[in-house]
Amino acid sequence: MVKQSFKLGDIEFSNRVLAASGTFGYGDEVKELVDVNRLGGIVTKSLSWKPRDGNAPRRIAETPAGMLNSIGLANIGVHKFIEDKLPYLRALKTVKVVNIAASSVQEYCDVLSLLDQQQGVDAFEINVSCPNVKEGGLSFGTNCDMVREITAELRALTKKPLIMKLTPNVTHISEFARAAEDAGADAVSVINTLIGMAVDIKTRKPKLSTVTGGLSGPAIKPIALAKVYEVAQAVKIPIIGVGGISTVEDALEFLLVGATAVQVGSINFIDPSAGPKIADGLAAYGEKQGLGDVGQLVGAMDSNVEFSVLQSWL
Ligand code: DHB
């Protein structure tokens, strides 16, 4: 049997496939559709201190090979999460990664400190990259000093794994990954959504109420892969690859370019059992290749390409 598990700090994930934030609710919405314990982990929708209604409709638009969203961090708030959602999550075997979004450094600290005391919260993923809110979001995630500061402040408040989720809407994502690593992050999630838009030609109005939104799905996979590859050359901490992963082949590509684990997002809206299927597929591939551990695939791409162009920008 090929080993599928991996560790971040003290936390052991049973396999290398997690459900991405915002695509799996708080784990309970999908429990009739999929055995969530077959995932390595689930990442919750971003939580803020107070509940948020999010942006006005329309908040979703389909695009070729992808989707645009402008949810605006709608969520039930950290207190209701602890009361209503955590008891269900606590009973699950899968690793529970709680995603936090905030509009100030203090709010990140307050939400994390409260959650850090709770049983059933195994790790944190910090959203410094929501494209759809005025305060916080991208204004934090596109400022390297802010990413460093938020990481350092939160690092001082928790011993649990701290994962910074980075935006691709910058020139060199590797600089942000380095800032997160220097400030004590245990891992980075690469990438969050890309800014995109769509226009309804009948009404001549933007399809999203906020005009622009976050693009996800298969359309962004090659971009995400290149960003993971870039970050893998720059940091030693684990990278969680995310962006358009829908099949086991996609997941394998991410591992080969340097991702320690992957998250599946948009595909959950089509097939909520995609994650466990991909995890099984990784194990089957490892078995076929005669590997003892799926982890042997991490960064195992053969980059000896003849006529390769030296990527001096890396
Ligand atoms: C939202 C947050 C994100 O991090 C993202 O990538 C897309 C949308 C949101 O809640 O609007």
Side-chain angles (χ1 to χ4, degrees), residues 45-46 55 69-74 127 129-133 165 192-193 214:
K45 175 66 184 163
S46 295
N55 293 333
N69 88 82
S70 178
I71 305 302
L73 299 174
N127 183 354
S129 39
C130 173
N132 303 322
V133 292
K165 186 166 186 178
N192 207 322
T193 51

Side-chain angles (χ1 to χ4, degrees), residues 8-232:
L8 263 190
D10 293 335
I11 300 296
E12 178 157 78
F13 297 73
S14 63
N15 65 59
R16 292 173 188 262
V17 183
L18 288 73
S21 179
T23 67
F24 232 61
Y26 305 102
D28 54 347
E29 288 89 338
V30 288
K31 62 178 183 245
E32 268 83 49
L33 303 170
V34 56
D35 178 2
V36 291
N37 284 320
R38 288 178 56 214
L39 284 160
I42 58 177
V43 187
T44 68
K45 175 66 184 163
S46 295
L47 287 169
S48 48
W49 184 254
K50 288 190 188 151
R52 291 176 60 106
D53 291 336
N55 293 333
R58 279 179 64 180
R59 313 205 287 195
I60 303 250
E62 267 193 68
T63 64
M67 66 181 263
L68 282 163
N69 88 82
S70 178
I71 305 302
L73 299 174
N75 79 93
I76 60 175
V78 67
H79 300 94
K80 203 164 164 58
F81 169 78
I82 291 169
E83 223 164 273
D84 294 355
K85 304 293 181 181
L86 201 48
Y88 163 76
L89 285 172
R90 207 174 273 136
L92 298 178
K93 284 197 306 243
T94 193
V95 171
K96 282 78 67 178
V97 182
V98 177
N99 184 297
I100 301 176
S103 50
S104 67
V105 178
Q106 191 58 51
E107 186 183 356
Y108 279 114
C109 292
D110 292 344
V111 176
L112 182 134
S113 300
L114 183 56
L115 288 168
D116 196 52
Q117 306 158 14
Q118 310 297 324
Q119 248 188 27
V121 174
D122 299 317
F124 298 106
E125 181 181 73
I126 308 304
N127 183 354
V128 282
S129 39
C130 173
N132 303 322
V133 292
K134 281 202 192 81
E135 288 173 3
L138 276 187
S139 66
F140 288 162
T142 56
N143 178 335
C144 216
D145 291 335
M146 277 305 290
V147 170
R148 192 186 308 273
E149 182 187 335
I150 293 166
T151 308
E153 294 272 345
L154 296 178
R155 176 73 291 163
L157 296 173
T158 185
K159 291 194 165 55
K160 294 179 184 179
L162 180 64
I163 307 162
M164 301 303 288
K165 186 166 186 178
L166 304 180
T167 178
N169 299 300
V170 293
T171 308
H172 294 307
I173 196 171
S174 48
E175 288 171 6
F176 292 77
R178 254 191 235 116
E181 179 179 54
D182 290 348
D186 294 293
V188 282
S189 293
V190 177
I191 57 175
N192 207 322
T193 51
L194 286 137
I195 294 173
M197 69 180 284
V199 180
D200 184 331
I201 57 165
K202 286 198 200 93
T203 61
R204 298 191 183 184
K205 289 183 195 297
K207 285 193 177 173
L208 295 174
S209 70
T210 50
V211 184
T212 60
L215 180 66
S216 63
I220 74 166
K221 197 203 83 179
I223 302 170
L225 202 57
K227 299 297 176 193
V228 169
Y229 181 63
E230 180 189 331
V231 171

